[in-house]
Amino acid sequence: MPSILDLNRDDPFSPSPGELARLLAGEGPDDRLFAVARDTLLSTVGDGIYLRGLVETSNKCRKNCLYCGLRRDNSNVFRYDMSADEILAAMETGYASGLRSFLLQSGELPDRRHLDLVEEVLLRTAGSMPGTRMVLSMGELPEETLARLRTAGAHRYLLRIESSSSDLYSRFHPGDMLHNYAARVAVLRNLRSSGWQTGTGVLIGLPGQTRDHLAADLMFMKDLDIDMCGMGPYLPHGDTPMMDVPGDMPSPGERVLLTLRMIALARILMPTINIAATTALQTLDLRGLEMGLNAGANVVMPNLTPAGYRSEYNLYQGKVQVDDGLEEMLGTLRARCSTLDRKVMTGNAGDPVHYSLRCGGGVSR
Ligand code: 5AD
Ligand code: SF4
């Protein structure tokens, strides 16, 4: 059987879960794994690094995921909602610096008021910031709501499956209907089939999570035929009940390595998708940005949330906080990326090549 690290292998090919698990254990060896991922990146999507301006629009959430600092039952959080004007002002700073894609992220808030707000932002963006691709990440929403947001101008949706194992999923979520694994998969499939550029991802290094679980996560994402992927290490938050979940957790160094191997394998298995170098990875290692990009990531998300709100958006503790202005932050990013021989792309919305290919070369609206 051809190895996944054999660049001359025929595509499409089906790696065995056993081989993925061995590579996740570092038996590649890692140098070779990362080199193959980089070659794959350069020969498919190129050396560009695409930017998404992140606006954390509200830290309210109706859910109670056991690992998350924003879970409903954490009363130590000052809850906020940004107004449409505040969200648009944050985006406009990014637009002026050449950003052409913005990610609106919040907890899961399917109420009328929140949806009206998001719709207003989308409609006003279409009028005032031409050429912009809007990305939403706001949890599981009903089909009609998603259709409405798409009509208002959103193109991309991110919904992490968190873990593709229903067993692990139920260990880290309450056992009620609000936290239902099958319902989450159904939303993802609906997104994928109704024309959204669809992204998902998983948490890496959860207590009790094995390399076989992670290998299955990669196969899940490949089978779903996603366009975008965002994966990060699990980072404990003291105000969550996660500490009570049994199972060993890998050390921070191991979680970084596992994340890098997951990025590299995702790049090799799904060459034309967009893959983010996540904030969680950068939080766990100061060189997480460079290492993530070197392992095959091609998306970075500068945080545009106003500082006062940003400090309240704590999914986990110790989130990297860059207080520089955006221009300064982009300057630093360009310098860091040029040491990797990679180019930061501005003035470009960075649609996933994978999506353009599945839509027959164009981007469908
Ligand atoms: N550590 C790392 N990532 C987390 N998320 C939530 N809590 C944590 C944590 N403790 C991630 C989830 C979610 C995304 C918005 O943040 O994967 O989908
Ligand atoms: Fe809410 Fe998302 Fe946190 Fe779950 S992970 S509690 S859905 S913000």
Side-chain angles (χ1 to χ4, degrees):
M1 187 138 91
S3 159
I4 187 175
L5 297 190
D6 179 0
L7 276 180
N8 297 318
R9 62 186 152 72
D10 291 332
D11 275 319
F13 75 113
S14 310
S16 73
E19 180 180 12
L20 294 178
R22 280 193 297 281
L23 294 169
L24 286 167
E27 290 174 25
D30 281 335
D31 287 358
R32 173 128 192 274
L33 173 67
F34 298 140
V36 171
R38 193 182 159 86
D39 283 352
T40 307
L41 172 105
L42 295 176
S43 63
T44 52
V45 292
D47 62 358
I49 292 165
Y50 297 90
L51 304 175
R52 316 283 172 240
L54 168 64
V55 187
E56 294 155 329
T57 60
S58 171
N59 63 357
K60 295 180 181 166
C61 187
R62 66 170 178 165
K63 282 203 168 159
N64 241 338
C65 307
L66 264 53
Y67 43 82
C68 177
L70 298 186
R71 62 197 308 275
R72 185 184 66 220
D73 287 354
N74 183 7
S75 54
N76 294 333
V77 182
F78 165 77
R79 305 280 172 171
Y80 70 84
D81 293 291
M82 287 176 71
S83 68
D85 286 347
E86 287 173 321
I87 297 169
L88 285 155
M91 288 168 52
E92 266 151 21
T93 328
Y95 194 82
S97 295
L99 270 59
R100 291 295 177 268
S101 179
F102 299 93
L103 166 60
L104 306 184
Q105 186 171 62
S106 71
E108 191 169 289
L109 298 166
D111 61 281
R112 187 67 207 245
R113 190 204 51 79
H114 185 241
L115 296 173
D116 287 348
L117 173 99
V118 177
E119 190 171 45
E120 178 187 342
V121 170
L122 292 171
L123 293 171
R124 286 173 60 186
T125 302
S128 63
M129 289 176 252
T132 296
R133 285 269 181 254
M134 293 301 286
V135 198
L136 304 180
S137 175
M138 36 195 65
E140 292 163 48
L141 297 177
E143 249 178 88
E144 326 67 86
T145 307
L146 287 169
R148 192 176 125 188
L149 295 175
R150 212 170 125 66
T151 305
H155 305 82
R156 306 181 180 147
Y157 206 94
L158 302 177
L159 182 72
R160 288 188 180 178
I161 190 61
E162 315 294 2
S163 168
S164 68
S165 147
S166 59
D167 173 46
L168 266 195
Y169 191 90
S170 57
R171 257 185 254 174
F172 300 116
H173 296 92
D176 55 27
M177 278 315 290
L178 203 54
H179 303 81
N180 184 283
Y181 174 80
R184 197 165 181 88
V185 174
V187 175
L188 266 176
R189 290 199 193 287
N190 169 47
L191 285 165
R192 171 64 183 72
S193 61
S194 56
W196 287 86
Q197 299 180 13
T198 306
T200 192
V202 294
L203 285 164
I204 298 169
L206 290 160
Q209 186 184 44
T210 63
R211 292 190 280 265
D212 293 329
H213 285 125
L214 292 170
D217 289 339
L218 289 164
M219 296 312 293
F220 172 89
M221 293 190 272
K222 186 168 169 63
D223 289 345
L224 198 65
D225 198 26
I226 55 169
D227 304 299
M228 306 171 295
C229 177
M231 303 180 286
Y234 161 61
L235 298 165
H237 190 302
D239 294 333
T240 66
M242 193 66 173
M243 313 303 167
D244 308 331
V245 175
D248 289 339
M249 188 171 78
S251 69
E254 284 171 90
R255 273 177 284 150
V256 169
L257 260 179
L258 273 177
T259 303
L260 297 173
R261 291 175 190 143
M262 284 291 282
I263 291 175
L265 288 168
R267 174 58 65 204
I268 297 168
L269 285 174
M270 299 169 277
T272 56
I273 67 169
N274 280 343
I275 303 178
T278 56
T279 311
L281 175 60
Q282 298 177 48
T283 298
L284 205 50
D285 194 301
L286 277 176
R287 291 192 42 85
L289 174 74
E290 284 87 346
M291 293 192 300
L293 294 171
N294 254 340
N298 66 336
V299 167
V300 176
M301 302 184 177
N303 195 328
L304 304 178
T305 314
Y309 293 134
R310 197 189 308 178
S311 56
E312 300 299 330
Y313 203 92
N314 292 319
L315 302 154
Y316 44 80
Q317 281 159 331
K319 184 169 84 166
V320 277
Q321 183 97 350
V322 185
D323 289 322
D324 300 344
L326 180 60
E327 276 301 325
E328 213 173 324
M329 184 163 71
L330 289 180
T332 311
L333 183 65
R334 279 195 192 92
R336 290 173 77 174
C337 294
S338 75
T339 63
L340 310 173
D341 279 330
R342 302 279 296 278
K343 276 198 295 290
V344 177
M345 311 295 276
T346 41
N348 184 320
D351 281 315
V353 172
H354 181 270
Y355 183 80
S356 310
L357 292 174
R358 80 176 162 94
C359 295
V363 171
S364 87
R365 280 277 324 139

